[in-house]
């Protein structure tokens, strides 16, 4: 423990020109961080580095890795948590829930009567030209009306402290395994703070997901057979797929394990065929059914779309959701919330120029060196140009691309993402972060996991938080749970087992089986789905991708 005369890990910590979530501009500690600040202040620098090293060794031993430039590396988890006060969460949670409800309504409409087009809310050409709009699934009605069973809504906090939606991920959002593994590791590092701060738990995610999937089973099925469909062991998010299957108590299958007979889906087992009622797929649309989509795909199974159309199987998330992830569609979301819900958006968008509009395009082309330009169907940060950091050659290239295909691009201002104290080789320094809250929709209610995936840009001044771009993550602590007397014993969340080798006590509560390790946000084997990394001022993205 550091003495009063010694410098503490906080010595020299100075917020940059962004909203710092731990300190205000006067250097005063913000209320949610008071306990964390005091706990770290009592340590010496060596103590803090020692805990960080123990945390890193834990992740390395357990194989929590991510893909960086084609190489699997241990996933960096920073020792300082991201803390969100209960009052802030009371904005974020209903804001995410509202967003999901509007996305559900839009998807039902766009694959149905398209009233939003007839009423002039969304241009018909926008839908027709979206890469992820599939006419082949128009008219397919999900059993309980849910298309977005799981969503990841990427949020950033701007320089004024305002939470904004960066993008929507409703295809196959991933990353929740990092949330679970981060929590387990951090609750072991700081058991006393978990007891004293009343941090809301995250362990009920798997139970909630399983219950939601059971509710979307075909009509008349009381005890549905649920499976998790994975591209296979070589997929970057395979651990997440296996983790969720194990913690939900359902089978993990590959496309070769499934077959369709007379419009029904079965899985092959050692005891023979068994009918499948719900498929939680972690395979991208184009690879799900070679009869309807890519004929060369072996990741899905022939006949899945027909079985879904007949109402004999539910595919979660629904095929075709990607039209709502289109970054141009994102610009219409505030209007769609007003249109479908008759409510004002709780969480605003980032200001965005639609480059297919002549006036907007002219303004952006004149200000390319000031703005961020990104492709509407991009993922993983690919194709994003940050004007102030781009060379003249890069700006000329993107100008030509915009001129040739205006519909394929949007522009946004450079946003200084909020910062959180992060341990670096030079001590604690502010680093930019984003947040991906995960939401589960069971048809009656949208439940938002208290916390979510916080990604952090580990390089000084870097706005790219995506792990594939060198970023890491933080455990996200939402305050507001029941406070307990501080204890040196690890809280219940620390008793989660990792991997499939360690035994799990059979008397443990099912939620205690939740563990998490790897993930890698963009799960598709050949192309990353929907979101994009926070490559730019807007922060995060990536299905998404860590």
């Amino acid at each position: 423990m550091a003495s009063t005369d010694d410098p503490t890990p906080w010595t020299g910590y100075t917020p940059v020109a962004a909203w710092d979530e731990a300190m205000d501009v006067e250097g005063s500690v913000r209320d949610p961080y008071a306990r964390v600040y005091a706990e770290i202040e009592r340590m010496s620098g060596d103590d803090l580095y020692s805990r960080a090293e123990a945390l890193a060794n834990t992740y390395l031993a357990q194989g929590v890795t991510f893909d960086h430039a084609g190489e699997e590396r241990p996933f960096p988890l920073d020792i300082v948590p991201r803390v969100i006060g209960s009052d802030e969460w009371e904005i974020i949670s209903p804001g995410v829930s509202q967003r999901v409800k509007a996305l559900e309504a839009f998807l039902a409409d766009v694959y149905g009567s398209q009233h939003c087009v007839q009423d002039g809310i969304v241009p018909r050409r926008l839908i027709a030209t979206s890469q992820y709009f599939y006419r082949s699934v128009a008219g397919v009605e999900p059993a309980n009306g849910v298309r977005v069973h799981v969503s990841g809504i990427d949020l950033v906090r701007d320089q004024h402290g305002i939470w904004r939606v960066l993008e929507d991920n409703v295809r196959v959002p991933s990353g929740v395994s990092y949330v679970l593994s981060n929590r387990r590791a951090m609750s072991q590092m700081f058991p006393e703070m978990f007891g004293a701060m009343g941090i809301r738990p995250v362990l009920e995610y798997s139970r909630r997901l399983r219950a939601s999937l059971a509710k979307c089973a075909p009509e008349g099925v009381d005890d549905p057979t649920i499976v998790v469909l994975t591209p296979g062991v070589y997929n970057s998010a395979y651990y997440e797929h296996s983790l969720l299957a194990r913690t939900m108590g359902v089978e993990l299958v590959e496309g070769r394990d499934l077959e369709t007979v007379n419009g029904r889906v079965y899985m092959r087992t050692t005891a023979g065929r068994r009918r499948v009622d719900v498929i939680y797929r972690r395979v991208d649309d184009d690879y799900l059914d070679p009869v309807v989509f890519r004929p060369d795909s072996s990741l899905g199974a022939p006949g899945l779309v027909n079985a879904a159309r007949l109402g004999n199987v539910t595919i979660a998330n629904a095929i075709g959701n990607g039209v709502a992830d289109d970054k141009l569609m994102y610009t219409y979301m505030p209007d769609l919330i007003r249109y479908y819900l008759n409510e004002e958006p709780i969480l605003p968008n980032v200001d965005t120029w639609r480059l297919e509009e002549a006036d907007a395009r002219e303004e952006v082309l004149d200000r390319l060196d000031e703005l961020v330009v990104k492709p509407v169907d991009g993922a993983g940060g690919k194709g994003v140009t940050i004007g102030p950091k781009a060379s003249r050659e890069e700006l000329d290239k993107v100008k030509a691309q915009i001129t040739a295909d205006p519909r394929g691009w949007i522009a946004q201002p450079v946003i200084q993402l909020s910062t959180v104290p992060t341990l670096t080789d030079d001590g604690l320094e502010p680093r930019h972060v984003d947040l991906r809250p995960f939401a589960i929709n069971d048809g009656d209610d949208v439940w938002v996991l208290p916390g979510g995936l916080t990604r952090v840009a580990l390089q000084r001044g870097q706005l790219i938080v995506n792990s594939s771009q060198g970023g890491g993550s933080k455990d996200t602590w939402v305050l507001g749970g029941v406070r307990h007397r501080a204890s040196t014993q690890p809280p219940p969340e620390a008793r989660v087992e990792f991997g499939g080798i360690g035994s799990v006590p059979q008397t443990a509560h099912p939620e205690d089986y939740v563990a998490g390790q790897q993930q890698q946000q963009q799960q598709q084997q050949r192309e990353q789905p929907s979101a994009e990394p926070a490559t730019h001022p807007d922060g995060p993205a990536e299905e998404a991708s860590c």
Side-chain angles (χ1 to χ4, degrees), residues 367-372 385-391 395 412-414 537:
R367 299 176 53 196
L368 277 179
D369 59 343
E370 304 172 19
L371 304 173
V372 173
T385 300
I386 302 177
K389 296 184 178 181
S391 66
L395 293 176
Q412 296 173 327
V414 175

Side-chain angles (χ1 to χ4, degrees), residues 454-483:
T454 288
R455 289 174 293 180
V456 54
L458 297 178
Q459 300 300 314
R460 183 178 298 165
Q462 177 64 269
L463 291 172
I464 301 177
V465 301
N466 192 276
S467 65
S468 62
Q469 306 293 322
S473 78
K474 289 175 172 286
D475 192 17
T476 307
W477 295 2
V478 175
L479 305 182
V482 178
R483 286 174 170 77

Side-chain angles (χ1 to χ4, degrees), residues 137-298:
V137 295
V140 176
E141 295 289 340
N144 65 341
V146 176
R147 287 174 166 80
V148 184
H149 303 82
V150 178
S151 57
I153 307 299
D154 287 343
L155 307 180
V156 295
R157 203 173 192 184
D158 68 17
Q159 55 266 45
H160 305 295
I162 298 173
W163 289 97
R164 295 180 179 273
V165 177
L166 173 65
E167 63 180 42
D168 305 295
N169 299 290
V170 295
R171 278 188 285 171
V172 196
S174 69
V176 74
S177 61
Y178 283 151
V179 177
L180 303 175
S181 60
N182 289 355
R183 177 56 52 86
R184 177 186 186 273
M186 288 292 289
S187 59
Q188 291 177 325
M189 288 293 125
F190 298 107
E192 62 283 351
M193 282 200 283
F194 274 83
M197 294 177 63
I199 299 164
R200 300 187 191 186
V202 299
L203 291 184
E204 63 177 310
Y205 181 86
S206 293
R207 177 181 64 81
R208 291 267 191 172
L209 178 58
R210 192 188 196 290
S212 171
L213 295 174
K215 288 185 68 173
C216 72
E219 186 176 354
V221 178
D222 297 325
D223 184 19
T225 295
I226 303 169
V227 300
V228 176
L229 176 61
T230 176
V233 296
Y234 296 109
N235 183 262
S236 62
Y238 180 75
Y239 182 83
E240 178 157 303
H241 309 163
S242 60
L243 166 69
L244 292 175
R246 179 170 58 85
T247 56
M248 287 193 291
V250 303
E251 295 292 335
L252 180 67
V253 301
E254 298 181 28
R256 60 188 176 184
D257 300 318
L258 302 178
E259 63 178 341
T260 57
V261 180
N262 297 325
R264 289 180 170 81
V265 180
Y266 298 87
M267 66 174 168
R268 300 180 180 91
T269 73
T270 55
R273 290 191 318 193
R274 181 180 177 186
R275 182 174 170 179
V276 173
D277 304 299
V278 180
I279 300 173
Y280 177 44
R281 53 77 172 245
R282 300 303 298 262
V283 174
D284 210 7
D285 291 350
D286 286 343
Y287 299 88
L288 267 177
D289 187 340
V291 174
V292 178
F293 302 115
R294 291 186 55 149
D296 61 338
S297 173
S298 59

Side-chain angles (χ1 to χ4, degrees), residues 345-382:
I346 297 172
L347 296 171
N349 276 13
V350 172
D351 295 339
T352 306
W353 284 268
R354 302 167 183 159
L355 299 187
E356 63 174 358
E357 298 175 358
D359 290 345
R361 183 166 64 254
E362 181 179 359
E363 178 181 356
V364 168
L365 292 179
D366 286 340
R367 299 176 53 196
L368 277 179
D369 59 343
E370 304 172 19
L371 304 173
V372 173
V373 178
K374 41 184 185 175
V376 298
D377 58 355
K382 295 179 179 178

Side-chain angles (χ1 to χ4, degrees), residues 1 50 69 78 159 172 202 214 310 317-318 326 346 362 370 490 525:
M1 179 178 297
S50 178
D78 187 63
Q159 55 266 45
V172 196
V202 299
L310 294 172
N317 283 353
D326 187 304
I346 297 172
E362 181 179 359
E370 304 172 19
Q525 193 172 43

Side-chain angles (χ1 to χ4, degrees), residues 21 32-33 36 81-94 155 163 179 183 193-194 196-202 435-438 447-454 474-483 493:
E21 300 193 13
Y33 271 88
V36 172
R82 199 249 192 96
V83 185
I84 298 176
S86 58
D87 55 341
E88 294 180 84
W89 190 249
E90 293 310 315
I91 297 173
I92 293 173
S93 181
L155 307 180
W163 289 97
V179 177
R183 177 56 52 86
M193 282 200 283
F194 274 83
M197 294 177 63
I199 299 164
R200 300 187 191 186
V202 299
L435 177 66
R436 169 172 290 177
F438 291 90
W447 175 77
V448 183
L449 178 70
L453 178 63
T454 288
K474 289 175 172 286
D475 192 17
T476 307
W477 295 2
V478 175
L479 305 182
V482 178
R483 286 174 170 77
E493 292 194 302

Side-chain angles (χ1 to χ4, degrees), residues 6 33 47 64 78 80 94 125 127 131 145 193 221-222 233 268 305 315 319 321 331 348 364 386 405 410 450 502 528:
D6 293 333
Y33 271 88
D47 291 338
V64 184
D78 187 63
V80 183
R125 69 180 182 281
I127 296 172
Q131 175 184 345
M193 282 200 283
V221 178
D222 297 325
V233 296
R268 300 180 180 91
V305 171
I315 298 175
I319 300 172
N321 279 9
T331 67
V364 168
I386 302 177
D405 178 25
I410 60 169
Q528 307 179 21

Side-chain angles (χ1 to χ4, degrees), residues 79 92 133 197 358 397 416 422 447:
I79 191 72
I92 293 173
F133 175 66
M197 294 177 63
K397 178 180 178 181
Q416 290 296 321
T422 301
W447 175 77

